[in-house]
Amino acid sequence: HWSLGGGYPLAFPAFTWEVRANDRNYHMQFKKKFAFCLTKKKYAGNAIKTAKYNFFTFLPLNLYEQFHRMANVYFVFVILLQTFPEISTLPWYTLLFPLSCLLTIRGLRDLIDDIGRHQSDRNINSRPCEILSGKSFCRQKWRDICVGDIVRLRKESFVPADMLLLCSSEPSSLCYVETADIDGETNLKFRQALLVTHQELVSEEIMAAFDGEVTCEEPNSRMHSFTGTLEWRGQTYSLDSEKILLRGCKIRNTDVCYGLVIYAGFDSKIMRNCGKIKRKKTKLDRMMDRLVIIVSVVQTPPQEGCRTPLAQGDGV
């Protein structure tokens, strides 16, 4: 560790996540690549989306997922064979009807589940919060929060994003949080702001003029780890996880507290731990896939030229 004269560690070169308080325009200018030549904003918004489908992608994506089941592929192959009159034993449409019913029932089940996810996303993104705008706090929604915003939280409210605790109404700017939604623990934990922000940020006007810059690690899934620094008025102060309020925590036994948004939306630690929704496949599904492949191989007729020498000798 390198350190300043005041004993505070300098930011490591790997710390490339820079957050400026009350400066949305600064964060909007940064882009990052995510596929080929396409780019997106480096700093994510606070709106989340956990649903798998939308109006346009439901049908193709759902069919794509359903035909990952070998039984459905086998069924389609049999239907195609039934279209040839020379080998057909049943009208092809008699086999298409049960397959269509099966795909429709499973599709409706997936649709109902995804509608529930859409509703849950809307409810979360529409939760109320107070964001510093100009020289006063305005009542807005979670989806309106951006990195660098200062948010006011009240008792019994949920933390909308990963934030640096700036100050609170408690002595020494303590803040008590419940992390049951994160790790299942119901016992309260405390977080404490830096002494300098506790002493200096005593009014909304001063908070509106706050221009501190946080330099820290890139968004990650380590729930109980955070390392960074706050630079303000020519001084550098070290930060750790004890000064961070994580998204999903609940404010308890603290009337009011203020935080600077560091990670928003899918960059927050709890969302990084959620991961992407994967296609579920049970052990029974895997076993059925193997059985279907075995049955298909067994039922494949031998080639005309693959007779054994003994069988050829029988014809002489």
Side-chain angles (χ1 to χ4, degrees):
H1 292 280
W2 293 5
S3 61
L4 296 173
Y8 298 109
L10 283 170
F12 293 101
F15 289 177
T16 57
W17 194 261
E18 298 179 353
V19 177
R20 290 185 181 179
N22 297 313
D23 194 349
R24 288 190 174 186
N25 293 330
Y26 172 78
H27 305 106
M28 292 177 64
Q29 64 182 329
F30 291 98
K31 306 286 183 181
K32 66 178 180 179
K33 293 183 179 180
F34 73 98
F36 302 106
C37 297
L38 301 177
T39 60
K40 64 178 181 180
K41 293 180 180 180
K42 177 181 178 180
Y43 299 90
N46 202 45
I48 62 168
K49 178 184 177 184
T50 60
K52 296 168 62 177
Y53 314 110
N54 58 38
F55 180 80
F56 299 102
T57 62
F58 171 74
L59 187 60
L61 285 182
N62 190 257
L63 288 177
Y64 173 77
E65 291 180 353
Q66 294 211 49
F67 280 103
H68 269 72
R69 295 184 174 92
M70 292 304 301
N72 292 340
V73 177
Y74 176 76
F75 223 130
V76 170
F77 179 70
V78 172
I79 292 174
L80 292 176
L81 291 179
Q82 296 303 313
T83 59
F84 296 96
E86 295 80 3
I87 60 175
S88 176
T89 58
L90 292 170
W92 64 271
Y93 51 82
T94 59
L95 297 176
L96 181 61
F97 178 74
L99 177 62
S100 301
C101 291
L102 179 63
L103 295 178
T104 301
I105 292 172
R106 285 178 173 169
L108 289 175
R109 181 198 61 186
D110 294 339
L111 178 61
I112 293 172
D113 291 343
D114 208 59
I115 290 175
R117 294 192 188 98
H118 276 285
Q119 183 63 42
S120 176
D121 291 343
R122 283 193 295 269
N123 292 339
I124 292 175
N125 292 331
S126 299
R127 285 179 176 176
C129 63
E130 295 179 85
I131 306 174
L132 182 61
S133 179
K135 294 185 178 181
S136 61
F137 284 89
C138 300
R139 191 175 180 85
Q140 300 185 47
K141 298 180 179 180
W142 277 27
R143 62 169 173 259
D144 301 320
I145 293 176
C146 296
V147 172
D149 286 349
I150 294 179
V151 180
R152 178 165 62 191
L153 302 173
R154 300 185 183 275
K155 185 164 61 174
E156 303 301 324
S157 63
F158 287 94
V159 180
D162 292 353
M163 304 190 302
L164 168 66
L165 178 62
L166 296 177
C167 59
S168 76
S169 57
E170 297 296 307
S172 301
S173 281
L174 288 173
C175 180
Y176 298 93
V177 296
E178 181 184 283
T179 60
D181 286 356
I182 296 178
D183 52 20
E185 296 184 9
T186 55
N187 56 308
L188 300 184
K189 301 179 176 64
F190 75 89
R191 300 289 184 261
Q192 187 171 16
L194 290 168
L195 180 61
V196 61
T197 56
H198 163 67
Q199 293 176 339
E200 297 292 337
L201 303 180
V202 295
S203 67
E204 296 182 7
E205 291 77 11
I206 298 177
M207 287 186 186
F210 178 64
D211 58 353
E213 181 174 336
V214 174
T215 305
C216 60
E217 57 197 10
E218 291 282 326
N220 58 72
S221 59
R222 297 188 293 272
M223 299 293 294
H224 304 291
S225 173
F226 179 83
T227 308
T229 60
L230 170 66
E231 296 182 14
W232 187 37
R233 295 177 177 176
Q235 299 293 324
T236 303
Y237 309 91
S238 63
L239 304 175
D240 55 28
S241 59
E242 298 300 319
K243 297 174 177 59
I244 300 298
L245 301 176
L246 297 181
R247 179 187 176 113
C249 293
K250 191 174 185 179
I251 305 299
R252 300 290 297 272
N253 299 344
T254 305
D255 292 332
V256 180
C257 65
Y258 301 85
L260 171 66
V261 177
I262 306 296
Y263 306 125
F266 283 104
D267 288 336
S268 60
K269 293 183 180 291
I270 188 172
M271 296 306 298
R272 287 270 172 164
N273 277 276
C274 290
K276 296 182 179 180
I277 300 176
K278 296 182 179 180
R279 183 172 54 88
K280 296 180 181 179
K281 204 168 188 179
T282 63
K283 290 184 178 180
L284 180 61
D285 290 333
R286 296 189 182 94
M287 184 183 71
M288 287 296 297
D289 288 347
R290 290 193 291 267
L291 291 177
V292 169
I293 294 174
I294 294 172
V295 170
S296 301
V297 172
V298 170
Q299 289 184 338
T300 302
Q303 296 292 330
E304 189 67 23
C306 296
R307 296 178 179 177
T308 62
L310 180 60
Q312 294 175 356
D314 290 343
V316 178

